[in-house]
Every structure is written in structure tokens, then in C-alpha cells.
Amino acid sequence: MEFWFTEKQTEHLGLGVRVRESLLVEQTPFQELAVLDTYQYGRMLVLDGAIQTTEQDEFVYHEMITHVPLTTHPQPREVLVIGGGDGGAIREILRHSEVRRVRLVEIDERVVAAARRFLPGLSQALDDPRAEVMIADGAEYLRALRGACDVILVDSTDPVGPAVKLFEADFYRAVHDALNPEGLFVAQSKSPYLDRGLIRDLLGIVRSLFPVALLYTAAIPTYPSGLWSFVLGSKVHHPLAFEQGRAEKLETRYYSAEIHRSAFALPREIRDELNQAQ
Ligand code: AG3
């Protein structure tokens, strides 16, 4: 008998994955959490029916949410991750020798527990001496960090449940205040094909707060539409003025100096729509 999990990506579109074994299904205080062993993508972390990461394609997302901002900053010492309890972003951040400390604030301790148990390739990084894991509401935690961070990453779920406020102006004002005068941030911002309105609004918020506000993309096979986006906001440093040598030195599978540059080139229609919204 075949078992399939389908992420309902829109009202009318689903991505079906054949499941070898369901390893965990649990209702946490925040969301429904599942870990599935799939034939195509290996183990898969699912929150409220949305695929968060898989063993086979997680490297694209985690490399792109981390190395673009970290290479943009000339000296990223203090890094904060909001969400990302699986540890994948931390693993990539720790490849940067400039980083002295990376704090992770995850709201749902069950996500960390599930990753520790089923996704060691990601979660092992959480035990690194430079990493600190905190179980707390990232939006609250941020308010205590006035000017303390060089780079902030928002590795959240989509705006449902606990993540809704991570897409609102108030939160980005707090991100701005938690960054030091040369700081910058990146947040995952869904699909340019399916979520254009959300991206336009988010970019509008970021433009009103940061002199540098840009969108970049990466091809991620298991996320809705396969094309994913990230919003970057920076107080000083421009991502296209990055140090290529540092980018090329990193041990990566997707990210490179070329990818860093080309990720900011948007399909014409999307570019024009976002420019108009300015
Ligand atoms: N966070 C972003 C996942 C968004 C996926 N959305 C969806 N499948 N509808 C990923 C967390 C990985 N550290």
C-alpha cells in the first residue's frame, strides 16, 4: 500500500510526497508537528501541514538565508536567529569564522526536540560552543537586545499561527532597534509567484525602515512554486558590495559568489511590480 502526504500549497494546488514511514505526529502548544520519512526527499519536517525542510533540499534554503547576509556584513560577530529550531541555519552560520556567538530563539521547544531526535544533520550544530538556544517568543526577546546584533535572521514558518506577527511592521521596528548601526537582517518571505501581495507589503515595511531593502530568490523544490524569496534590510552595507573571496571560501553546495550576485536579479514582471510599489 502507498501512503502519500500532500501539502495543500493553495486552495487548488498540492504537492504530494510518498511516505515510507511516519516518524512523529504531535500536537504541540503552538502547532501540529510531524516528521515523515519520504522516498524522494528523505526525512521531512512538517508544521501545520507546511513542509519546513527536508534532508535532501534543506541546504538550498539554509545556505541562502545565511550566507547572503553574513557575507554582506564585513565582520559578523553577533548573530541572532528567530525561529529555525531545526538548527540548519545555525550550522551554516557557524561556517563563518568571524561569528563569535549565535543565539537562536525558537518559540516551540518540541521543534528543537524533534530535530535533535530525527534530523541530526541539522540539529548537531545546536551543540556548538558558539551557539546558544533559547526557548522563547522571538518577537518579545528581540526587544531586550537594543543595538546588540550584527545580523538577524528570521527563519520562520509562513504567517500562520505564532509567526503572524513576524510579518508585521512592529516586529521590523524591533529588528531595526536590535541591530547595531551597521547591522542587517534577512527574513524568509514566501513565493514570488504565489505571495506577491505579502512580499510587496513586507518590502514596503522594510523600505520605510532601512536605506537598503531588497528581495532575492532561491530555487527550493519542496516549497510552494519552487521559487522562494528572502527580504534583506540593511542600515549601511549593500549586498552587491560583498567580498567575493569570503563567499567562495565557504564550503557550500548551492551558494557561491555568482549565486550571491544573481539571486538579486528578479524576473522582470516581479522587479517592475516591486519598483512600482516604492
Ligand atoms: N522555514 C520556512 C518554511 C516555509 C515553507 N512554507 C511552506 N511549505 N508552505 C523553514 C525553516 C527551516 N529552518
Side-chain angles (χ1 to χ4, degrees):
M1 187 135 76
E2 292 191 0
F3 292 100
W4 289 73
F5 161 74
T6 302
E7 171 173 343
K8 217 170 130 193
Q9 297 186 334
T10 75
E11 267 311 296
H12 312 290
L13 179 75
L15 176 70
V17 234
R18 192 175 160 207
V19 176
R20 185 181 284 122
E21 194 186 345
S22 163
L23 299 169
L24 175 74
V25 180
E26 180 186 340
Q27 182 62 49
T28 81
F30 298 98
Q31 53 209 340
E32 187 186 47
L33 163 71
V35 181
L36 308 174
D37 187 12
T38 72
Y39 284 92
Q40 193 73 50
Y41 286 111
R43 290 182 177 178
M44 179 179 266
L45 174 68
V46 182
L47 294 176
D48 282 338
I51 299 171
Q52 299 299 310
T53 204
T54 80
E55 282 182 320
Q56 296 299 321
D57 76 344
E58 58 87 10
F59 69 95
V60 183
Y61 177 88
H62 290 127
E63 289 181 14
M64 289 302 280
I65 199 172
T66 56
H67 300 318
V68 173
L70 285 168
T71 310
T72 297
H73 196 291
Q75 195 59 263
R77 294 197 177 109
E78 279 285 334
V79 182
L80 176 75
V81 179
I82 294 182
D86 52 75
I90 300 288
R91 183 193 63 208
E92 295 305 316
I93 290 165
L94 292 171
R95 293 190 200 278
H96 295 256
S97 53
E98 299 86 355
V99 171
R100 291 191 185 148
R101 172 165 66 161
V102 48
R103 287 183 273 198
L104 179 115
V105 191
E106 165 65 55
I107 200 165
D108 192 342
E109 102 18 68
R110 300 312 301 155
V111 172
V112 178
R116 283 194 191 280
R117 181 154 167 227
F118 297 109
L119 298 167
L122 289 79
S123 59
Q124 254 162 28
L126 300 172
D127 297 323
D128 188 279
R130 286 185 288 158
E132 268 173 42
V133 180
M134 264 126 349
I135 303 300
D137 181 331
E140 294 300 318
Y141 184 86
L142 202 57
R143 292 175 203 280
L145 290 179
R146 307 220 139 245
C149 307
D150 295 308
V151 177
I152 296 177
L153 303 182
V154 188
D155 182 11
S156 68
T157 55
D158 297 338
V160 276
V164 171
K165 59 181 174 215
L166 305 184
F167 290 78
E168 291 171 353
D170 240 22
F171 173 71
Y172 288 95
R173 276 192 283 273
V175 168
H176 184 276
D177 294 347
L179 287 167
N180 64 34
E182 290 193 33
L184 59 104
F185 85 89
V186 163
Q188 77 97 350
S189 52
K190 301 198 72 188
S191 162
Y193 289 121
L194 300 172
D195 309 291
R196 204 77 64 83
L198 175 131
I199 293 172
R200 219 188 307 116
D201 293 351
L202 196 56
L203 209 52
I205 293 171
V206 178
R207 276 182 183 144
S208 73
L209 294 166
F210 292 84
V212 181
L214 292 164
L215 191 79
Y216 66 92
T217 63
I220 304 178
T222 55
Y223 287 174
S225 88
L227 185 69
W228 211 245
S229 75
F230 303 86
V231 168
L232 178 146
S234 176
K235 293 188 181 179
V236 179
H237 302 290
H238 195 285
L240 294 178
F242 70 115
E243 237 185 88
Q244 299 205 30
R246 265 176 67 210
E248 282 296 316
K249 232 177 45 207
L250 294 163
E251 231 179 85
T252 53
R253 294 169 66 191
Y254 186 90
Y255 178 82
S256 68
E258 246 175 318
I259 289 279
H260 182 123
R261 262 192 306 275
S262 64
F264 289 89
L266 301 175
R268 172 174 255 170
E269 186 187 87
I270 297 169
R271 178 197 71 184
D272 290 352
E273 191 181 321
L274 293 176
N275 285 342
Q276 266 166 26
Q278 215 157 16

